[in-house]
Amino acid sequence: MEIKKVGVVGCGSMGGGIAQLCAQSGYQVVVSEINDEFLKKGMGAIDKTLARSVEKGKLSQADKDAIMGRLKGTTSTKDFADCDLVIEAAIENLELKKKIFAELDGICPPNAILATNTSCLSIIKMAVATKRPDKVVGLHFFNPAPVMKLLEIVKTIATSDEVLEASQKFGEVLGKTTVVAQDGPGFIVNRLWIPFLLHCIKLYEEGIASREDIDNAIQLGLNYPMGPLTLADMVGIDIVKFVADALYEQLKDPRYIVPTLVDKMVAAGWLGRKTGKGFYDYK
Ligand code: 3HC
């Protein structure tokens, strides 16, 4: 099961980051978006990130050109026809993901691995939309994908050992440390992180401390790279709500109930960095 060419469905912040990382690691990459406008935006963001690395002297212009040369943007799923691995990083909607998997199953070579970057949805439900459930696996990257050191590999009851092994090897080529989790609610990281994050938000909602003090307490007191509210703004408040709601739906554990403040922020469009306002202002 040799992986030479990788497809990525979706060129938003996660899909774009994954596509960039794969191209940086030497793979030929095809990345798709639903229209030209989104594709241009996603490819532009990758180009800008790499240009910043050139400016900082961390990447040569020739290497940047080579990485961009390995990346092909498309709006047609047919371009995945010769991919050995396709990673779906579309929005978190199970019905949409099932449709994407069924379509990829009809287009990709019979041996190709079909992966999802879902944060919290059931992977076996996507796998059964294909005729190759043994070749469906979760490859859960963390934001920003080119930088974060972890790749969570999620194995369903149908994933074959061969596909698991190929996924672990792929993770190594990307320079990641891999962990393996079963296809259960939130896998490892989100199952543990979400209750902690919601608790931090509750503290802020109850006025126990200011947003800055909560962030400083965790960042400096526990040596985290950034405070939890800053991180929530980076991930997106809508994503935090979606993941927490999905986990509550599956686990019925009150630790996954989002504070009212999160509902209000989503209703107001305060989704974090991407909308210019979340717990903090970014305008
Ligand atoms: N894309 C690509 N590269 C990025 C980037 C991005 N969006 N953001 C930062 N970087 C790179 C920078 O270019 C820089 O690279 P260099 O060292 O080669 O110059 C490096 O990351 C460090 O960036 P900065 O110097 O600008 O800033 P920091 O040192 O503060 O690091 C950070 C930024 C990597 C985001 C760090 O603060 C961090 O690790 N934060 C925590 C992130 C985290 O926890 N992510 C997980 C979120 S949960 C998730 O994704 C799961 C999902 O299911 C919800």
Side-chain angles (χ1 to χ4, degrees):
M1 245 178 201
E2 203 194 343
I3 297 168
K4 286 187 182 151
K5 188 165 179 180
V6 179
V8 182
V9 180
C11 197
S13 62
M14 284 314 291
I18 295 167
Q20 177 194 321
L21 169 68
C22 293
Q24 273 173 355
S25 307
Y27 292 106
Q28 292 295 325
V29 180
V30 191
V31 58
S32 73
E33 254 307 344
I34 49 172
N35 60 39
D36 287 330
E37 187 197 335
F38 284 6
L39 185 62
K40 200 171 153 207
K41 201 174 154 200
M43 295 292 281
I46 298 173
D47 193 77
K48 212 169 139 190
T49 303
L50 294 174
R52 231 180 287 131
S53 294
V54 174
E55 270 167 36
K56 286 190 204 163
K58 301 211 162 168
L59 187 73
S60 72
Q61 184 62 45
D63 284 344
K64 172 183 179 281
D65 294 344
I67 294 166
M68 289 310 288
R70 285 194 287 274
L71 259 173
K72 177 181 149 70
T74 183
T75 53
S76 166
T77 359
K78 293 202 175 71
D79 286 330
F80 294 128
D82 57 350
C83 287
D84 309 296
L85 163 71
V86 180
I87 305 167
E88 169 278 316
I91 55 165
E92 291 281 38
N93 175 317
L94 184 61
E95 288 315 306
L96 173 72
K97 287 184 191 279
K98 278 164 45 181
K99 238 176 93 184
I100 293 171
F101 270 81
E103 199 183 346
L104 290 173
D105 191 39
I107 290 166
C108 298
N111 261 340
I113 298 173
L114 303 181
T116 174
N117 179 52
T118 187
S119 304
C120 57
L121 297 173
S122 160
I123 298 172
I124 190 67
K125 288 186 183 162
M126 298 172 214
V128 294
T130 73
K131 292 188 191 73
R132 60 179 98 187
D134 57 314
K135 295 190 179 66
V136 175
V137 68
L139 293 181
H140 185 210
F141 290 84
F142 295 84
N143 194 2
V147 180
M148 299 299 287
K149 300 262 179 279
L150 184 71
L151 174 63
E152 207 174 25
I153 300 178
V154 188
K155 185 184 181 315
T156 76
I157 49 168
T159 309
S160 72
D161 289 345
E162 202 189 357
V163 165
L164 182 64
E165 230 172 79
S167 302
Q168 286 169 313
K169 273 198 195 130
F170 174 66
E172 275 167 33
V173 176
L174 299 184
K176 304 295 184 197
T177 294
T178 60
V179 292
V180 179
Q182 299 296 324
D183 183 24
F187 322 129
I188 303 172
V189 175
N190 282 335
R191 177 98 175 237
L192 298 171
W193 175 55
I194 291 290
F196 165 71
L197 176 64
L198 298 183
H199 212 136
C200 295
I201 297 172
K202 250 180 227 153
L203 240 64
Y204 173 58
E205 188 180 41
E206 288 171 11
I208 303 289
S210 69
R211 56 192 180 181
E212 291 83 2
D213 284 356
I214 292 170
D215 272 353
N216 281 335
I218 297 300
Q219 183 175 5
L220 306 177
L222 296 176
N223 219 3
Y224 281 27
M226 53 176 34
L229 304 180
T230 304
L231 179 57
D233 276 354
M234 189 185 95
V235 168
I237 308 303
D238 52 337
I239 306 287
V240 168
K241 177 173 161 50
F242 185 88
V243 177
D245 286 350
L247 291 182
Y248 181 68
E249 181 65 32
Q250 295 167 72
L251 295 163
K252 298 289 186 269
D253 177 337
R255 286 177 300 178
Y256 296 88
I257 297 175
V258 295
T260 316
L261 178 61
V262 170
D263 289 322
K264 287 182 189 164
M265 288 171 75
V266 171
W270 296 2
L271 306 184
R273 267 194 214 171
K274 63 186 165 193
T275 58
K277 188 169 174 58
F279 288 103
Y280 296 92
D281 272 313
Y282 298 91
K283 285 189 184 114

